[in-house]
Amino acid sequence: MGGAFVAAAVLARLGGRIGLPTIPLFILAGILLGPHTPGVVLVSDPHDLEMLSALGLVLLLFYLGLEFHIDDLKAGGRKMAIAGGVYLALNVGAGLGFGFALGWGTSEALVLAGVLGISSSAIVTKVLVDTGRLGNPETKPILGIIVVEDIFLALYLAALQPILSGADSLSAALLDGGKAFGFLLVLALAARFGTRIIGRLINTPDDELLTISFLGAAVLVAGVSEWFGVADAIGAFMVGLMLGSTTSGKRILKLVHPLRDAFGAIFFFVFGLSIDPGDLPGVVWPVLIAVALTLVMNVSAGLAAARIYKFGPEPAANIATTLLARGEFALILATMAAAAGLDARLSPFIAGYVLLLAIMAPLAAKQSNWLARILPGGTSGGAGGDAGASGASVPERVSV
């Protein structure tokens, strides 16, 4: 574990000197020091760090929930639902069509629909932090789309599991989906109506006790969420949503920072451990086509979201590039596909696709002004997200 932290830090420091984002460098550290590349093998089995990786994902999404106030959900629920629905329709639909075009099979096409359709909440969160755009007006629809994706994700996994396992019981599939949706509903009601009670329970002047309390709550609910068929990260997000609206919210936001950064780095490092570079050449063309398709769909979705929120080309470019990355959900699907005995090409395809977009997305987000210039209404102005260009006011709550 110490070696993983040091390797990630060294590569990130070197990359920072030439302006590279940290996410792909953490992943690269995992690839170079993993079991699939020659030389020093720091971790021979990625499962050795599985719990730390899961904790990193939980903390990243918990932080995202802290940033996304329940007032934002109440104020922009309709727009959020429309923007998220458009994003999913474009990307999941394109992924399904691409899957059938490859001819690998129906189950494989359904897996690819999810792989190409759902953004990486972890990477999106990290990109927003690294680019300093948490206070930008377009960040609200970005987080809204992530929320809609996460709700879809829970229902999609519940529906896909019986298909991949060969189950022919519709009632069992509906039961799993209902259980997941019911648990999400309970968490949503708690976030909506239980904030005052939760705030009293969590509040303490002692930072040590507050840290133990919010960390325990996030991890516990994440674990219970998984038992109900909901992704653990979604449970952590909902806890963050609840606590962010309490009187302790600002203190929690400050206390969780170092935990989020440290264990988030391990999450991306472990992702790199799972990638075998030797499997990638056989699927290079499908990967490149899928990346190009995702770029086109994301730009289309960014323009659509900007139109819904009455933003200009700069925020549209920010939305398109920030949501570009694919990650943890794709890896979950790769694991499910391998366990179900689906086409052997799926795993290397998913690894190559996710790795390429994990590298491209942070770079594209930092240089989104180039995309903004060629979008309808674009000029030769500066980087996106500027409130004057979008015609929207910057929210008062700016955190990083």
Side-chain angles (χ1 to χ4, degrees):
M1 185 179 74
F5 277 122
V6 170
V10 169
L11 273 180
R13 282 172 176 266
L14 292 175
R17 293 187 176 184
I18 55 175
L20 289 177
T22 58
I23 295 170
L25 295 169
F26 293 154
I27 295 172
L28 180 61
I31 294 174
L32 294 177
L33 298 174
H36 305 298
T37 52
V40 177
V41 177
L42 186 65
V43 183
S44 57
D45 185 359
H47 290 94
D48 290 344
L49 299 180
E50 188 173 17
M51 182 59 72
L52 292 174
S53 173
L55 184 58
L57 179 59
V58 163
L59 288 171
L60 282 166
L61 270 292
F62 174 71
Y63 180 85
L64 183 63
L66 288 171
E67 282 292 339
F68 197 72
H69 267 191
I70 194 70
D71 292 337
D72 296 333
L73 282 173
K74 290 187 286 185
R78 183 172 176 273
K79 286 183 177 180
M80 180 185 78
I82 294 173
V86 169
Y87 187 90
L88 286 172
L90 287 171
N91 286 274
V92 175
L96 186 63
F98 174 76
F100 280 121
L102 282 179
W104 291 354
T106 301
S107 295
E108 287 79 359
L110 291 171
V111 169
L112 288 170
V115 171
L116 270 67
I118 306 293
S119 304
S120 167
S121 300
I123 297 179
V124 168
T125 306
K126 192 70 166 59
V127 167
L128 287 173
V129 172
D130 286 352
T131 55
R133 292 177 184 162
L134 284 168
N136 283 16
E138 72 275 7
T139 297
K140 191 178 292 185
I142 289 173
L143 298 182
I145 290 171
I146 288 293
V147 171
V148 173
E149 282 187 316
D150 285 346
I151 294 171
F152 172 80
L153 181 155
L155 301 176
Y156 183 78
L157 280 179
L160 189 63
Q161 182 61 53
I163 296 174
L164 295 185
S165 63
D168 53 2
S169 170
L170 179 61
S171 60
L174 291 175
L175 180 63
D176 288 342
K179 187 170 71 170
F181 184 77
F183 184 70
L184 281 173
L185 185 60
V186 169
L187 291 180
L189 290 173
R192 174 65 180 87
F193 299 107
T195 303
R196 186 172 298 178
I197 297 173
I198 294 168
R200 288 176 182 170
L201 291 173
I202 201 79
N203 188 41
T204 172
D206 189 311
D207 283 350
E208 179 186 9
L209 292 179
L210 183 60
T211 301
I212 296 299
S213 299
F214 75 70
L215 185 60
V219 176
L220 177 62
V221 174
V224 175
S225 299
E226 202 167 53
W227 188 80
F228 275 96
V230 177
D232 52 5
I234 301 176
F237 173 85
M238 296 302 293
V239 175
L241 195 65
M242 296 175 205
L243 299 185
S245 299
T246 66
T247 54
S248 304
K250 290 184 178 179
R251 287 174 60 210
I252 294 173
L253 197 67
K254 181 179 179 181
L255 291 169
V256 79
H257 263 226
L259 294 170
R260 179 209 68 192
D261 290 341
F263 290 101
I266 292 297
F267 169 78
F268 296 112
F269 179 85
V270 173
F271 172 33
L273 292 176
S274 66
I275 295 175
D276 184 353
D279 292 336
L280 301 180
V283 292
V284 63
W285 286 113
V287 166
L288 292 177
I289 294 170
V291 167
L293 183 62
T294 302
L295 284 168
V296 172
M297 291 300 105
N298 264 53
V299 170
S300 301
L303 287 169
R307 187 177 183 86
I308 292 168
Y309 283 85
K310 296 181 170 56
F311 288 157
E314 290 87 355
N318 285 348
I319 294 170
T321 53
T322 303
L323 291 167
L324 186 60
R326 303 297 187 258
E328 60 278 4
F329 179 54
L331 296 180
I332 292 170
L333 285 175
T335 303
M336 291 172 62
L342 300 187
D343 195 299
R345 291 170 290 186
L346 268 179
S347 291
F349 167 84
I350 292 173
Y353 172 75
V354 171
L355 177 61
L356 194 53
L357 284 180
I359 293 171
M360 289 177 60
L363 294 172
K366 285 195 172 186
Q367 301 296 328
S368 60
N369 58 306
W370 291 95
L371 174 61
R373 292 175 186 176
I374 62 174
L375 292 179
T379 65
S380 57
D386 152 72
S390 69
S393 60
V394 177
E396 292 181 8
R397 189 165 177 270
V398 181
S399 57
V400 174

